[in-house]
Amino acid sequence: MFKSSMPGAVVVAVALAALSVSCGASGTGSTAGSGGSSATSSAATPVATDSPAGQEGEGVESSSPGPRTASAERVRDAFAGLQATLNESCTPGNCAYFLGRVYDELQRMDRAMKADPKGPGHFPEPIALIEKLNGELGGDRSFENLKKHQSLLVGTRDEINTWMQDHPDDYR
């Protein structure tokens, strides 16, 4: 069908690249779309603090009719991202990635709850837990500091997961 496979390969590569960019920014909350590029980086390199996952859906209105807004969906999506870390752990090959991801997902959750139309007062405990964590970390999100505070980091994630499970109407 094609005489030369090179032009066809270029077209396919460009199409796949465009598709992956649009899928990664869709704000669906899937773990493959948020942080997927970080998984291919060195395990010793933590995920950036201002990851694209934390910026999903900003300024985007919901295209579906109904009471849900883009901000309310952000809380749901951020919670799904946080829950995706529940089955992971700090193993020798991925500890930096894991701790960085938990940190990033907690920060994404914090931003989403504070931007929710119900107001930050609607999520008092999770926001307070993240504030406490951030105070302990002192702005240092290096692997060494995250490892030092691993119990607090993972404990904060677990407490927020429990709180959110007990308040399903707050994010659905």
Side-chain angles (χ1 to χ4, degrees):
M1 189 147 102
F2 293 108
K3 291 198 176 231
S4 171
S5 63
M6 185 56 109
V10 171
V11 170
V12 170
V14 170
L16 288 174
L19 181 62
S20 69
V21 168
S22 68
C23 289
S26 68
T28 61
S30 75
T31 57
S34 63
S37 61
S38 299
T40 59
S41 65
S42 167
T45 305
V47 180
T49 302
D50 269 334
S51 68
Q55 299 170 4
E56 291 178 7
E58 289 181 5
V60 177
E61 292 298 320
S62 176
S63 61
S64 61
R68 182 167 299 155
T69 66
S71 294
E73 289 176 357
R74 285 180 62 202
V75 172
R76 184 201 62 214
D77 293 347
F79 182 48
L82 188 65
Q83 285 185 306
T85 68
L86 292 173
N87 293 326
E88 297 179 19
S89 62
C90 189
T91 60
N94 81 337
C95 194
Y97 168 76
F98 167 70
L99 295 177
R101 181 167 179 217
V102 171
Y103 174 84
D104 288 345
E105 294 295 348
L106 286 168
Q107 300 311 309
R108 177 180 170 204
M109 188 83 196
D110 189 53
R111 287 188 301 270
M113 289 184 296
K114 288 178 178 174
D116 190 80
K118 298 171 191 165
H122 196 71
F123 303 96
E125 289 182 44
I127 290 174
L129 289 167
I130 294 170
E131 277 183 28
K132 178 183 175 191
L133 171 69
N134 289 341
E136 289 290 322
L137 293 174
D140 180 3
R141 62 125 24 239
S142 68
F143 170 65
E144 292 78 21
N145 197 41
L146 294 179
K147 182 70 175 159
K148 176 181 169 185
H149 295 93
Q150 180 178 348
S151 295
L152 178 61
L153 183 66
V154 173
T156 300
R157 176 203 62 188
D158 294 346
E159 287 184 62
I160 290 174
N161 178 58
T162 300
W163 191 92
M164 294 297 284
Q165 292 289 341
D166 289 343
H167 299 83
D169 292 337
D170 293 344
Y171 63 92
R172 291 188 179 158

